[in-house]
């Protein structure tokens, strides 16, 4: 299964942020389906603005908190995931380019 978890910044209210995160995940799901993935194997979620990567006080932070994390489960046993919170290269790049 493929789990898509959408995130947003905290610019809007809680419901709108949740909706934006869901829309981001749904966009990726539609892309995967259009490229041959089985719709039944893709699960879409939203975390809204609950898990920011960086502060939303500046435009830089707002931009990087709008994202989709990807988790893939193989036969329900092993999991591969891309979660930008734990990507050391991504985090390093954030720190180096912070404005």
């Amino acid at each position: 299964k493929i789990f898509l978890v959408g995130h947003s910044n905290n610019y809007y209210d809680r419901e709108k942020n949740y909706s934006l995160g869901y829309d981001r995940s749904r966009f990726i799901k539609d892309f995967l389906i259009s490229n041959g993935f089985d719709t039944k194997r893709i699960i879409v979620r939203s975390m809204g603005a609950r898990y920011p990567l960086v502060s939303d006080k500046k435009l830089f932070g707002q931009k990087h908190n709008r994202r989709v994390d990807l988790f893939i489960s193989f036969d329900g046993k092993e999991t591969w995931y891309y979660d930008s919170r734990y990507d050391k290269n991504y985090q390093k790049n954030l720190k180096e380019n912070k404005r």
Side-chain angles (χ1 to χ4, degrees):
K1 291 194 177 207
I2 298 172
F3 299 88
L4 301 168
V5 182
H7 300 270
S8 67
N9 56 34
N10 65 1
Y11 189 78
Y12 297 103
D13 64 46
R14 186 176 175 181
E15 286 183 35
K16 178 72 172 175
N17 288 331
Y18 179 83
S19 177
L20 288 169
Y22 183 83
D23 291 345
R24 284 187 181 92
S25 295
R26 183 66 197 188
F27 178 84
I28 301 298
K29 178 180 181 176
D30 292 344
F31 172 80
L32 293 174
I33 292 169
S34 71
N35 283 281
F37 284 82
D38 181 4
T39 187
K40 295 176 186 175
R41 299 181 64 89
I42 303 172
I43 298 169
V44 173
R45 296 283 185 262
S46 175
M47 293 296 166
R50 290 193 306 191
Y51 300 103
L53 290 175
V54 292
S55 171
D56 277 337
K57 291 181 182 177
K58 295 184 179 180
L59 184 61
F60 175 84
Q62 293 174 7
K63 177 175 69 172
H64 286 283
N65 288 328
R66 297 185 293 252
R67 67 192 191 279
V68 175
D69 293 326
L70 170 72
F71 300 83
I72 300 176
S73 174
F74 301 98
D75 299 325
K77 297 176 184 175
E78 300 176 33
T79 302
W80 178 89
Y81 65 92
Y82 177 77
D83 183 333
S84 46
R85 290 177 295 162
Y86 303 112
D87 184 331
K88 291 180 183 175
N89 290 326
Y90 185 82
Q91 292 296 327
K92 181 181 175 187
N93 190 32
L94 278 179
K95 289 176 185 175
E96 290 174 356
N97 295 306
K98 212 171 199 182
R99 296 183 176 107

